[in-house]
Amino acid sequence: MNSVKVKPTTQCHVVAMPYPGRGHINPMMNLCKILASKKKDILVTFVVTEEWLSFIGSDPKPDNVLFSTIPNIIPSELVRAADIYSFFEATMTKLEAPFVQLLDQLELPVTVIIVDTVLSWVVGVGNRRNIPVASLWTMSPSLFTTIQHIQADYISGSSK
């Protein structure tokens, strides 16, 4: 008896958008590898800057985890510590437009977006497109509270 191998149809397309910094990329990738290993009909599109792809592009990953890049429009990871506030501001203001353009170019419809909690603007993108958004927090709960206060001050324009 001859058996024909049929390529599985992707039923779930996950787009993962990590915060582009050390300590955020690896936890998101680990989660995506776990998801992709559970079922072969899950496709994960892992979004990184071109710079980050040069750092992690050769790392082993399942075949159903693909990299997609957005341009290097934020300060380099290699110098961000010199002005962390400007780096944070750039991630909050400059990444949304290229991320939306990337979503427009994907061949398969997006089932869900997994985002690093710090990139709160992704929730708005998901809402406008009727795509559910799941949040991944990669750090301690106390830092979560601190970041939420910083973001609230940034959004309101006040400094306390």
Side-chain angles (χ1 to χ4, degrees), residues 17 70-71 73 90-105 121-122 125 128-129:
M17 181 63 190
I70 54 179
I73 57 172
T91 65
M92 298 304 289
T93 60
K94 294 183 178 181
L95 291 179
E96 183 173 351
F99 179 73
V100 167
Q101 289 174 346
L102 183 139
L103 289 177
D104 290 340
Q105 296 170 358
W121 53 263
V122 175
V125 172
R128 288 189 299 276
R129 292 171 172 261

Side-chain angles (χ1 to χ4, degrees), residues 117-118 120 137 143-154:
T117 305
V118 177
S120 57
W137 183 255
L143 189 56
F144 176 81
T145 301
T146 303
I147 294 292
Q148 290 302 101
H149 287 291
I150 290 171
Q151 283 184 326
D153 288 349
Y154 175 78

Side-chain angles (χ1 to χ4, degrees), residues 24-121:
H24 297 264
I25 300 280
N26 287 339
M28 180 74 78
M29 178 55 80
N30 289 338
L31 173 63
C32 291
K33 286 178 179 179
I34 291 168
L35 286 173
S37 71
K38 295 297 180 189
K39 293 182 83 179
K40 293 300 174 193
D41 64 350
I42 295 175
L43 173 67
V44 177
T45 300
F46 197 85
V47 181
V48 290
T49 62
E50 293 164 346
E51 177 183 50
W52 267 104
L53 182 62
S54 72
F55 297 152
I56 65 170
S58 62
D59 290 352
K61 62 184 179 21
D63 292 339
N64 52 337
V65 175
L66 307 173
F67 288 115
S68 284
T69 60
I70 54 179
N72 293 326
I73 57 172
I74 58 174
S76 170
E77 169 68 18
L78 302 175
V79 298
R80 75 182 184 130
D83 187 359
I84 195 70
Y85 183 78
S86 293
F87 183 85
F88 177 75
E89 183 177 14
T91 65
M92 298 304 289
T93 60
K94 294 183 178 181
L95 291 179
E96 183 173 351
F99 179 73
V100 167
Q101 289 174 346
L102 183 139
L103 289 177
D104 290 340
Q105 296 170 358
L106 294 174
E107 291 182 31
L108 295 173
V110 179
T111 307
V112 64
I113 300 170
I114 302 175
V115 63
D116 191 298
T117 305
V118 177
L119 298 176
S120 57
W121 53 263

Side-chain angles (χ1 to χ4, degrees), residues 6-18:
V6 178
K7 191 173 183 179
T9 304
T10 300
Q11 295 177 351
C12 182
H13 184 193
V14 176
V15 171
M17 181 63 190

